[in-house]
Amino acid sequence: MSAPPNPSEMPRAELEAEVTALRGEVAELKQLVLALRDEIARLKGLKGRPVIKPSGMEKATEAKRAGKRSKRRGRGPVTPRVTVETQVIRVTAPAGSQFKGYESYQMQDLVLTARVVRYRRERWVTPAGETIVAPLPEGIRGHFGPELRRYVLMQYHQGQVTVERLVAQLQAVGVSISKRQVMRLLIEGQDAFLTETREVLRAGLETASWITVDDTGARHRGANAVCTQIGNDDFAWFGTTGSKSRMNFLELLCAGHTDYVINQAALEYMREHNLAGPTIQQLVGHPQRQFTDEAAWQHHLEQLGITGLQVTPDPVRVATEGALRGAIAAHGFLNEAVIVSDDAGQFNVGQHALCWIHAERLVHKLETFTDQQRAAQQIVRSLIWWYYADLKAYRRDPTPRRRSELRAHFDRIFLRTTGFATLDRLLQRLHANKAELLMVLDHPEIPLHTNGSENDIRCQVTKRQVSGGTKTDTGRNCRDAFLGLGKTYKKLCVSFWDYLGARLGVPNAPVIPPLADLIRCRGQPA
């Protein structure tokens, strides 16, 4: 065994190169240690590291407006959304004064008061002995009226008010109510809302040309869970589950359907994920191609002997994921749609595109130790920023010639050698994702980032910080449903207050069509 070289005998250039390489390895190990510390903190329920300030690439590459910068405009007149009540205020004027009309002054106010109504319902007994009782007015369900229920849902889900503070508010204005009764108002009897949020997801997946996805941590039944967001400019949907696997994501994309289907989409998925040819032939050769639920599908796999195979990749997992992909296609979801994600593996399904903001962030967060490394990092970031601006310009005016130029320009950026070993390896990794990063060249309608999903999912993060986790499946489903409906009505320019009034039967509330119908109308080509 030869002795290691003596540093004093090594040439200076070779020594500096070795030191640079060692520093790069140390930087990678530091990143690994920090990632492991974050994971340990997450498992312990502790707060992780602070988030690094965004690079600002999106705002910096916005096209500048032509012409001189206009002066800031004022707020303008206030237009109330309710009927204006007119009152005439009189004043005693000296004798001989001349009347010059009125000077308008508008004031908005809010009246919160408790209202208790005792309904005396007539009872009659027919000659046949049957008792008839006068029905309650429309919208009355339980001992709390629709206006109170609307206020509770509005404050809790949109106002992010805790249950304890909500109880204190209601009791302060004279409502006799307890914490348990408020919880019942929040989670009991919400089947109509749960159905509508499922229909929103189905309508969104049917009409979408693209969706963005993201996930964040959640707490359910005292254990760590994952809340997944799916949406685009027309809708948003949230689902909390105990797993963040690809199979779980495919189940969410089924939008409540429980069937498994073997069709062309399923077979393509299985081949892409290297399922053995004989196993695929077994599935294709069987006359039954559709299965109602998981139990029927697992029984089918057992009959074919697939569950007993001990090979890699796991044939049961790949076949199940393929059958779920087939069910998604069978129900008309994600037809030629592109899924844009932050490079999390579970989201790599079908036509998949990557977020440029997350890709540039890897370069932005890279640890540097020398002036040369910092200079190389800044040069690469500048090139990526310029390229990102070119992609945004291409989306506005796509042409075949510009598409070819951008593909060649991508290679020049990500195949360059900077001399900074860690940065060079990162550029090679990003170049390997060329097809997903440049999906926008073939689909100019898709966004270049997942900022929409990150903005949507912040409400779940806030809810987690304010109210903690959920204890029952009903509570979890209601929280996810109202978070999704809250984001959807905003994208559809519908007032949440009016929406709740229409669904809860509040007298004189405006009529709000089903949100799924509004999504389908917006998704139709002009």
Side-chain angles (χ1 to χ4, degrees), residues 329-393:
H331 293 291
F333 300 153
L334 294 180
N335 294 321
E336 304 299 326
V338 179
I339 299 176
V340 186
S341 79
D342 58 1
D343 203 15
Q346 70 270 22
F347 299 135
N348 189 358
V349 176
Q351 295 194 90
H352 183 239
L354 290 179
C355 170
W356 271 90
I357 302 295
H358 283 83
E360 190 273 344
R361 189 178 298 167
L362 297 174
V363 180
H364 174 52
K365 292 171 60 178
L366 204 61
E367 234 182 305
T368 57
F369 302 96
T370 66
D371 292 338
Q372 291 81 0
Q373 292 177 352
R374 283 186 283 272
Q377 181 190 43
Q378 290 305 315
I379 290 173
V380 170
R381 288 190 66 203
S382 298
L383 293 173
I384 293 176
W385 282 36
W386 292 336
Y387 188 79
Y388 187 73
D390 290 341
L391 288 176
K392 294 171 76 172

Side-chain angles (χ1 to χ4, degrees), residues 203-515:
L205 295 179
E206 288 170 5
T207 59
S209 60
W210 58 268
I211 60 172
T212 59
V213 291
D214 199 3
D215 57 30
T216 186
R219 294 284 293 176
H220 179 60
R221 294 185 180 274
N224 290 328
V226 179
C227 181
T228 303
Q229 183 273 352
I230 301 172
N232 58 18
D233 290 340
D234 295 335
F235 79 101
W237 181 87
F238 296 86
T240 300
T241 54
S243 169
K244 60 187 306 181
S245 64
R246 184 174 298 165
M247 189 181 300
N248 172 74
F249 180 58
L250 290 167
E251 290 174 350
L252 296 179
L253 291 178
C254 288
H257 294 291
T258 60
D259 54 342
Y260 295 73
V261 180
I262 301 298
N263 52 20
Q264 187 61 33
L267 297 177
E268 289 178 1
Y269 182 95
M270 295 175 189
R271 294 189 184 102
E272 288 175 2
H273 292 79
N274 302 320
L275 186 62
T279 304
I280 295 178
Q281 289 303 319
Q282 282 184 289
L283 295 170
V284 173
H286 198 278
Q288 187 176 3
R289 297 290 187 88
Q290 188 165 0
F291 308 89
T292 56
D293 52 25
E294 183 181 3
W297 169 250
Q298 291 296 331
H299 180 67
H300 179 66
L301 295 180
E302 291 175 1
Q303 283 186 325
L304 296 179
I306 297 177
T307 55
L309 298 176
Q310 302 293 327
V311 294
T312 302
D314 182 6
V316 174
R317 176 182 60 80
V318 177
T320 302
E321 291 175 356
L324 289 171
R325 183 68 185 92
I328 294 169
H331 293 291
F333 300 153
L334 294 180
N335 294 321
E336 304 299 326
V338 179
I339 299 176
V340 186
S341 79
D342 58 1
D343 203 15
Q346 70 270 22
F347 299 135
N348 189 358
V349 176
Q351 295 194 90
H352 183 239
L354 290 179
C355 170
W356 271 90
I357 302 295
H358 283 83
E360 190 273 344
R361 189 178 298 167
L362 297 174
V363 180
H364 174 52
K365 292 171 60 178
L366 204 61
E367 234 182 305
T368 57
F369 302 96
T370 66
D371 292 338
Q372 291 81 0
Q373 292 177 352
R374 283 186 283 272
Q377 181 190 43
Q378 290 305 315
I379 290 173
V380 170
R381 288 190 66 203
S382 298
L383 293 173
I384 293 176
W385 282 36
W386 292 336
Y387 188 79
Y388 187 73
D390 290 341
L391 288 176
K392 294 171 76 172
Y394 172 83
R395 291 183 69 237
R396 293 189 294 267
D397 184 20
T399 62
R401 177 181 177 181
R402 191 61 181 143
R403 183 186 306 127
S404 300
E405 293 174 349
L406 287 171
R407 291 189 189 278
H409 191 189
F410 182 92
D411 292 336
R412 290 196 298 271
I413 294 175
F414 293 96
L415 289 179
R416 64 193 296 116
T417 301
T418 65
F420 181 9
T422 307
L423 177 58
D424 291 343
R425 284 195 292 268
L426 176 58
L427 292 177
Q428 292 173 6
R429 171 188 163 191
L430 292 175
H431 186 268
N433 295 331
K434 178 179 178 179
E436 294 169 304
L437 285 170
L438 295 186
M439 184 68 69
V440 66
L441 298 182
D442 297 323
H443 300 273
E445 72 279 2
I446 70 174
L448 292 168
H449 50 70
T450 59
N451 289 357
S453 285
E454 293 197 354
N455 290 333
D456 285 350
I457 212 166
R458 284 175 186 169
C459 64
Q460 157 61 20
V461 176
T462 304
K463 178 63 70 177
R464 182 183 67 211
Q465 293 172 343
V466 172
S467 302
T470 51
K471 296 182 179 179
T472 65
D473 291 346
T474 304
R476 175 200 61 193
N477 295 339
C478 288
R479 180 198 61 192
D480 292 341
F482 281 103
L483 288 179
L485 292 172
K487 289 295 180 180
T488 301
Y489 78 77
K490 188 174 182 180
K491 296 181 180 186
L492 298 176
C493 301
V494 177
S495 165
F496 191 42
W497 182 258
D498 292 341
Y499 167 77
L500 290 175
R503 297 299 183 265
L504 296 174
V506 173
N508 302 320
V511 177
I512 305 295
L515 296 183

Side-chain angles (χ1 to χ4, degrees), residues 143-153 170 175 177 185:
H143 295 283
F144 296 99
E147 284 283 12
L148 177 58
R149 291 163 54 207
R150 172 163 70 168
Y151 179 80
V152 168
L153 292 172
L170 296 173
V175 179
I177 195 169
L185 292 177

Side-chain angles (χ1 to χ4, degrees), residues 16 19 33 104 138 189 193 196 266 288 311 359 368 398 455 484 488 495 522:
E16 289 180 352
V19 170
V33 170
S104 297
E138 186 178 356
F193 290 107
E196 183 158 18
Q288 187 176 3
V311 294
T368 57
N455 290 333
T488 301
S495 165
R522 292 184 60 165

